[in-house]
Amino acid sequence: MSGKRMRAAVAAAVALSMVTAITLSACQRGGQDATADVPAAQASQITPVIPLPAKVQAREGAFVLDVSTRLQAAGGNADAARIARDFAARLQRLRGFAPNVDASGNAAGEAAHTVVFAIDPQAALPNDEAYNLDIGPQGARIEARAPAGLFYGAVTLWQLATADGGRGAATIAAQRIEDAPRFGWRGLMLDSARHFQSVEQVKTLIDQMALHKLNTFHWHLTDDQGWRIEIKKYPKLTQVGSCRIPAGASGHDPVTGAPIPYCGYYTQEQIREVVRYAAERYVTIVPEIEMPGHAQAAIAAYPELGVSDVLKAPPPVSPDWGVHTYLFNTQDSTFVFLEDVLAEVTALFPGRYIHIGGDEAAKDQWQASPSIQAQKTALGLKDEMAMQSWFVARIEKYLGSHNRSLIGWDEILEGGLPPRATVMSWRGIKGAVEAARAGHDVVLAPAPDLYFDHVQSDNDDEATGRLAAMTLKSVYGFEPVPAELTPDQAKHVLGAQANLWTEHKRSFEAVERAYFPRTAALAEAVWSPKGARDWDGFLRRLVPQMGRYQAQKVQASDAAFAVRFEVERDGQGQPLLKLSNQVGFGQIRYLEGKGELSTQSPLYGAPLALRPPTVFQAATYVDGRALSAPRRYAPADLAALSQRTGNRLRQCKGGLNLRMEDDAPADGIGGRSPRATLLADVFDPCWIYEGAALDQVGAIEVRVGQVPFNFQLWHDTPKVVTRAANGPEGALEVRADTCQGAPIAVLPLGSARRTAGLTTLRAKLAPTAGTHDLCLVFASGSHDPLWAIERVTLQPR
Ligand code: ACM
């Protein structure tokens, strides 16, 4: 380190030593109120750590961690040595050096320039995940009463050592940290059924969870669209149930028409490997085996598990999304099957909880089945809800007798619930409130707040997913304990998790972008004391965290910081370009014309004069670091200023708004271009171009695409709007001011029907004065395929 950098670091540390200790109480369950003696924001400066620790006390001086630092496992403890080695390896990856680990147990070694990793079961710490970290100018000491706490202390030190984003020796402000989690359940859920992730990818995710101090990985392994876990006794579950033929263009070879199955499952050996890997990072895996619904893949493999007296034929593994009606039947033989499956599952996963799903079990088939109705009557059950309750109770009894606890989605509350069952609240927080009041433990995983399949911005290059946007800020603001609960009831709140459903996440890159950095926001909500929540401080601490993601090749989304371009008009009607980002944080730098954007590029202050053709680039910077990739705005002509992507159009109703990936490349030619993203309301695809100034407009150009309508909407199916075809091949209709009446333009779909990619349609507009809202709908004669608008351009006369 240069003398200058060292002096600056020490001066900063000394200045901050005035900071009063930040004292926040922490507890494992119930997350009772905690109070901050001073604003937690101050801790963000000396402790650039996510999640923010419970208590930070600044000290004088700074510690220089370098290659000559010794990492000492106190007493030669094997766990401590392993955690020290893991720390060294992580340091190697980000700073380029790995200090030696001393596992000799030689106490005399606790000398200068040492980081001591100590596990002391007698240490005065609140729980096994708590730790103290003392950093002085001469060295550091991490102390915990169990390996998990020591690991978290090491993660904190690693974050402190990697905050400046540099290589080589790290200077860390001297401080004492006393830390413990607010909640015992800090989780992420991954859906490996709708789209599959490799073992390596799952491990990457688990590793990142550990670095966010999350400890529960809920693995969604079975669903209508795929059975992803090998069960030795029932090989067809994976032979048949792990493959589906996708809907739309991606399901068939474009030349031969041959089906292209989408397959994937984890062998038991792979699962054991993942469980081991997670345990080394203090992450427990909660496997989910869905029942009685979301069972179509299992029934495709073993049709006798289905409601045989109503099935006309065995179902396929489903290519559709949504709520399906295939339920397991309720015969004893099916319980034998389920218990056999659970026996293999519990042998693989050592954790306490087994998730049995229980959500969205549409009861149509049970209602239609004479045998199930007769069984219901014989059992004296009031209705199908009670029947599901009876089903869950049988499974709970099995799990209980094998020393495991049942957890299920909040539907398991309907019709009554075994007393020991734990409820995962997903339909908002209602289920959590009801369950906690009834004395059940609960985990908060509410939609939409913690549904990471929701998009995170309305940026044009936002990923596919469900709307509305669940932004970084909204996740950060999530409070796991519902306000309705009394302090006693709140003790049933085990914690919270975010869920990632993967219908619209085909790639692991999309998975990572959905999780990060929102997982950093979640981590703070479930770990840090309630009183320590500080959005501005979090954003400041996120700057080094974005650097850590990048250095570890984690594909985090920069949606919160991406620069957005908006065209405004000045008093004379001249166009101006306004730059902003979602969080209003950092400095925006821009460049017009050729060149490479850098920290030396002009700083954006006020809207810029805009004269097409031109090219702007812009990005957000903080402390000389780019927080977003550059974004470009390149209007070729004046018409381009009126261009709006589908994302900037309003959905007429907003029943089920999805940003979907086209199932073919944008140009319709395999492999030559990325797929397009199309935003539509699945129930009623209808768009409004608001405030179109039509005086000078002579034509409208609309780029359109199609996606397969592969949604099962159960009782909501009648709400799907289908418009009669306009012309032999249908047409896009444009209306002014209203969505009824005579169109002002009709754009036939013929050319678009003959390509799997995007097509630009064009039509003249009759001279129209003034500003109007334009309503655009497809009169195509069918809701399948689902036609959607990629962008609209108004062409001058
Ligand atoms: C769920 O989102 N169906 C739990």
Side-chain angles (χ1 to χ4, degrees), residues 189 194 218 220 223 288 290 294 323 355 357-360 409-411 424-427 445 447 451 453 466 499 501:
M189 188 218 78
R194 273 54 175 264
H218 170 180
H220 188 80
D223 215 306
E288 181 180 354
E290 277 267 22
H294 288 285
V323 178
H355 202 302
D359 59 319
E360 299 178 322
W409 300 111
D410 58 47
E411 284 93 332
M424 186 168 274
S425 189
W426 75 276
R427 293 176 300 176
Y451 266 42
D453 51 325
R466 192 162 177 173
N499 295 340
W501 304 104

